[in-house]
Amino acid sequence: MLTDSQYILERMSQGCVTLSDDEFVIDRLVKYFGNGRIRWHVEFRGHRIELTTGQLKKQPTFRRKILEQAGVLPPQRAGTDYRRWALDLRKNAIELPWRDRPVDVGFAIDRLTSHGDGRWTVEYQGKAIKFTTTKLRRQVSFRKRMLAKAKVLPPELAPAAYRKWMDWLIQNATEAAPQADDALMTEKSWLDDLPELAGWQNETSPRETS
């Protein structure tokens, strides 16, 4: 089995993307406590990576976990710089009891595909969920439709973190091959198969307007 450092070197030789200090910005770190254990969840670009305290303290392991689950390599820091950075990160973590952990631990979409004219599909575990740009950029709408069509409730991010994540998804979206009837599809017809859910009638969340 490859060590963390060997795994990273191998992936670098294959051309994995290494982020700079400015590019690698964690959305938040959540500290879950309870049952005699502490668990850390790093939320980054829509991924939630679970780590132990030891894995968080050890830079090669931390970089490997991010690379494995988010597909990008965090920057290499000097030992003292990394320890200081990791300590500051833990000090500013959000603390939650483990019983209140999200039901959507590990949520990550497989792909976002653009169909042009503001129409998109989110691919998640074999399902293709339709969105318009407006619905995609509204966190309430995104979570509602994922719950309706994929039976999963995505994590509720801070408005700025959601916008950052969605901007990144859109910038890296796949372009779909044009279909003959694409030009005839209006926003209404594109979403006709997506029923509204009781309790989700208000499309604007108070948190999103802040």
Side-chain angles (χ1 to χ4, degrees), residues 15-150:
C16 72
V17 176
T18 303
L19 301 180
S20 66
D21 286 340
D22 292 337
E23 293 172 322
F24 183 67
V25 179
I26 290 173
D27 296 322
R28 68 174 184 172
L29 177 68
V30 182
K31 176 183 179 181
Y32 290 105
F33 58 90
N35 298 327
R37 292 183 58 194
I38 292 177
R39 306 164 180 85
W40 305 87
H41 283 178
V42 172
E43 296 182 5
F44 174 71
R45 293 184 176 178
H47 297 271
R48 187 185 281 115
I49 299 101
E50 183 171 345
L51 299 160
T52 64
T53 303
Q55 290 171 332
L56 193 56
K57 288 181 176 180
K58 187 178 179 183
Q59 182 171 202
T61 305
F62 174 80
R63 297 178 81 212
R64 175 175 183 163
K65 295 281 281 187
I66 299 294
L67 180 57
E68 286 178 332
Q69 297 187 45
V72 293
L73 183 64
Q76 173 75 45
R77 301 172 188 266
T80 54
D81 288 343
Y82 179 80
R83 286 192 292 272
R84 187 181 305 113
W85 176 83
L87 180 61
D88 288 342
L89 194 65
R90 296 198 303 276
K91 285 181 177 178
N92 291 291
I94 298 170
E95 295 193 11
L96 296 173
W98 183 244
R99 65 179 180 273
D100 291 339
R101 69 191 186 279
V103 296
D104 49 19
V105 169
F107 175 81
I109 71 168
D110 299 318
R111 182 166 60 177
L112 176 66
T113 302
S114 170
H115 299 270
D117 296 327
R119 292 175 290 114
W120 310 79
T121 53
V122 169
E123 296 179 24
Y124 176 80
Q125 296 188 356
K127 296 181 176 67
I129 299 96
K130 295 178 180 180
F131 287 90
T132 63
T133 302
T134 301
K135 301 293 185 184
L136 197 61
R137 289 193 174 278
R138 287 179 177 170
Q139 182 169 197
V140 170
S141 298
F142 177 77
R143 299 179 79 223
K144 175 186 69 175
R145 298 198 187 288
M146 292 302 296
L147 182 61
K149 306 301 283 187

